[in-house]
Amino acid sequence: MTTAVLLAGCAAPRVELQRVSVPVPVACQEPMPAKPVMPTEALVPPVSLDAFAAAAMAEIERREGYEIELIAALDACRAPIAAKPSGGLGLKR
């Protein structure tokens, strides 16, 4: 009788499954925008003040456009990744 009582305590253990969401780092796949050639880099001395001012103004516009591309790439990398629905425990059958 004591054997039956001891074996009754060794019945199959109760198993509970629990889903835990864990963030996993993922490499950003967004390509880096190409750095444009800046107008002031192409100037050869001696250069007039007017030519330098015109190149500097054009460079400001070009840099602002490049910054917009960089910010868009950064935003794409920082955007949350949509979770894919998994079938049950993610086990393959």
Side-chain angles (χ1 to χ4, degrees):
M1 176 133 144
T2 55
T3 310
V5 172
L6 290 176
L7 288 177
C10 294
R14 180 178 169 165
V15 177
E16 290 186 36
L17 300 177
Q18 184 177 6
R19 176 177 289 231
V20 178
S21 298
V22 178
V24 177
V26 178
C28 180
Q29 301 298 321
E30 189 68 23
M32 182 73 165
K35 184 177 185 244
V37 176
M38 296 301 166
T40 56
E41 295 171 354
L43 295 177
V44 180
V47 63
S48 69
L49 182 60
D50 290 333
F52 180 79
M57 296 287 280
E59 184 168 324
I60 290 171
E61 295 292 322
R62 194 165 290 177
R63 283 189 188 272
E64 287 176 352
Y66 182 54
E67 283 180 21
I68 290 170
E69 291 177 10
L70 287 173
I71 290 170
L74 179 61
D75 286 344
C77 286
R78 295 178 64 193
I81 298 172
K84 294 181 182 177
S86 63
L89 298 174
L91 303 175
K92 295 181 181 178
R93 294 184 180 191

